[in-house]
Amino acid sequence: MNTVDHLKTLIAFDTTSRLSNLALIEHVAAYLEQHGLKPWLSYNAERTKANLFATVPAADGSINGGLIFSGHTDVVPTDGQIWQSDPYTADIRNGRLYGRGAADMKGFIAAVLAAVPHMKQTRLARPLHIALSYDEEVGCLGAPVMLDQLRAHGLSPEHCIVGEPTSMKMVVAHKGIQTYTCRIHGKAAHSSLTPQGVNAIEYAAELITFIRQLSGRLKNRSDNDPAFDVPFSTLSVNTIHGGNAVNIIPQSCELQFDCRNLPHMSADEILRPIEDYIRHTLEPHMQAQDSRCRIELQQNAAVPAMPAAEAETLHRLVASLTDSQTAEKVAYTTEGGQFKQAGIHTVICGPGSIEQAHKPDEYIELEQLARCDAFLEKMIAAHSVR
């Protein structure tokens, strides 16, 4: 099967993050076993989802070190989107293959699967690994489970290519992401008796204003990085819910915000002023009116940034194979930060455009798949016995 055939098959599996990915994983495992590989799986706590890891050993039989080709199997929902074709049936039109996950990121996975026979036929100087994860789209939840299992198996790969859609350009760094839920617990009262209530929405508004002001200060820091497409760390409040009726002082309000930190900045450094403002300003004011009032701050997701440092060898290799000397840095987040945190030098490089990800009529250009095929062929050759 070629890359397009593999991609058609992968798109037909609805692996939206809220669903199981086991059918796809079992299909891939069976394919790899047909080629003599021995994949192993690592599961979520409910055993409804699995990561897959497989190794093509070096010519001398060694399985340690080497390079990982990494991709996530889950996709975002199509709810509320209007598609010109069935999102789970690949459709080729005008040099583009349409389907959910075509770009993000089943296209790369398909290319890796199509390259397996070539990997097997090559006398490798170093092993090549295939890593497929679950639940990347909802907080990169699967990769840490797989990395723990790598350590349990005594494996320590040296390099990793995460095939997120970069139009086959080399991305050497990305921001981290942390998401938070803030619940403001005030005191309800009739709106004609405002002094008897503690207005949760108004206190939420004060917090939102503070977060916006802090975001402005982050934008103007002297240590921002112009190599990033968004060169500063960001904060944004993106959901808010509160109140029951127009004539009731709202007892509760909930908001969610996200923080995207540059690699050299810690998320704690950004969050600390928000925590201090809550604990030393907002809560005391609320509790002066009613001691039972409080504010909860809960972290929902935390994915580390991927710094560019200490991966020069991999950078040079990928640059030479993609004919691109540009080392890009991006604001979005991938599993690359987790691989990097585990001591594995990582680059993001894959077919398709991130601009197509998550949209209706998501597509990948066939030319991008062909470029990825050529890249993988060269990468396999670079790992062969000379």
Side-chain angles (χ1 to χ4, degrees):
M1 292 174 66
N2 62 25
T3 296
V4 170
D5 290 334
H6 277 291
L7 183 51
K8 289 179 178 179
T9 300
L10 295 176
I11 286 173
F13 292 101
D14 182 356
T15 53
T16 304
S17 301
R18 63 178 175 240
L19 305 176
S20 172
N21 73 336
L22 289 182
L24 181 149
I25 289 292
E26 290 164 0
H27 163 79
V28 172
Y31 168 78
L32 296 177
E33 288 167 356
Q34 290 171 7
H35 288 278
L37 302 183
K38 298 178 180 179
W40 50 265
L41 308 184
S42 54
Y43 294 87
N44 66 345
E46 298 77 19
R47 296 187 71 84
T48 57
K49 302 180 182 184
N51 302 305
L52 178 148
F53 194 89
T55 299
V56 182
D60 63 3
S62 65
I63 61 173
N64 228 335
L67 171 77
I68 300 172
F69 297 115
S70 172
H72 65 81
T73 61
D74 62 317
V75 297
V76 297
T78 58
D79 300 3
Q81 295 183 343
I82 299 174
W83 286 63
Q84 295 183 48
S85 56
D86 181 351
Y88 301 106
T89 301
D91 186 28
I92 297 176
R93 308 191 299 270
N94 301 318
R96 298 170 173 175
L97 189 152
Y98 290 82
R100 175 54 88 221
D104 186 17
M105 57 177 299
K106 291 179 176 179
F108 178 76
I109 296 173
V112 170
L113 295 180
V116 167
H118 184 197
M119 297 181 203
K120 289 284 294 180
Q121 294 161 8
T122 301
R123 294 188 69 245
L124 296 172
R126 298 178 298 281
L128 296 173
H129 311 277
I130 298 169
L132 306 183
S133 65
Y134 65 82
D135 281 359
E136 187 270 353
E137 296 287 6
V138 290
C140 295
L141 305 181
V145 176
M146 178 162 49
L147 290 166
D148 285 345
Q149 286 296 304
L150 277 183
R151 286 186 283 269
H153 282 73
L155 295 176
S156 53
E158 184 179 7
H159 295 138
C160 179
I161 305 288
V162 176
E164 292 279 5
T166 67
S167 300
M168 293 308 299
K169 297 176 182 178
M170 179 175 63
V171 171
V172 301
H174 65 63
K175 292 181 179 179
I177 180 174
Q178 294 75 36
T179 64
Y180 300 89
T181 296
C182 185
R183 298 181 183 90
I184 297 94
H185 300 277
K187 180 183 178 183
H190 194 283
S191 61
S192 66
L193 302 170
T194 56
Q196 296 182 14
V198 179
N199 192 314
I201 290 178
E202 291 181 355
Y203 278 99
E206 291 188 43
L207 180 58
I208 291 169
T209 300
F210 181 84
I211 290 173
R212 181 173 175 80
Q213 292 170 345
L214 179 57
S215 178
R217 294 200 294 273
L218 291 172
K219 183 177 181 179
N220 295 319
R221 282 177 60 127
S222 61
D223 61 345
N224 288 333
D225 188 343
F228 276 84
D229 47 1
V230 178
F232 44 88
S233 297
T234 60
L235 281 165
S236 59
V237 178
N238 299 321
T239 70
I240 184 167
H241 306 280
N244 300 106
V246 71
N247 61 349
I248 301 175
I249 302 298
Q251 180 171 319
S252 63
C253 185
E254 179 178 296
L255 59 91
Q256 292 180 311
F257 64 94
D258 115 347
C259 166
R260 308 237 172 190
N261 59 294
L262 292 168
H264 70 273
M265 291 184 67
S266 72
D268 288 345
E269 178 184 354
I270 298 172
L271 183 65
R272 196 173 302 116
I274 297 174
E275 292 178 321
D276 289 345
Y277 183 67
I278 290 172
R279 301 303 168 218
H280 303 309
T281 300
L282 293 184
E283 274 193 334
H285 288 170
M286 296 174 72
Q287 291 170 355
Q289 296 172 271
D290 191 300
S291 61
R292 294 168 295 180
C293 295
R294 59 194 173 89
I295 298 176
E296 294 178 72
L297 187 61
Q298 171 188 316
Q299 186 176 69
N300 303 319
V303 183
M306 189 180 85
E310 302 175 5
E312 289 80 5
T313 300
L314 181 60
H315 294 175
R316 287 195 298 271
L317 175 60
V318 173
S320 68
L321 300 185
T322 57
D323 298 322
S324 172
Q325 300 305 310
T326 303
E328 300 195 2
K329 299 180 180 181
V330 295
Y332 60 80
T333 303
T334 78
E335 295 168 330
Q338 294 167 323
F339 282 103
K340 180 71 175 178
Q341 200 171 65
I344 302 170
H345 301 311
T346 303
V347 157
I348 316 301
C349 183
S353 170
I354 194 66
E355 294 182 2
Q356 301 308 319
H358 303 188
K359 291 182 177 180
D361 291 327
E362 177 183 351
Y363 69 82
I364 190 167
E365 295 180 355
L366 298 180
E367 178 269 340
Q368 282 285 306
L369 293 175
R371 286 182 61 187
C372 187
D373 288 338
F375 169 73
L376 293 175
E377 183 176 351
K378 293 175 186 176
M379 185 62 75
I380 295 166
H383 282 73
S384 65
V385 176
R386 302 287 177 159

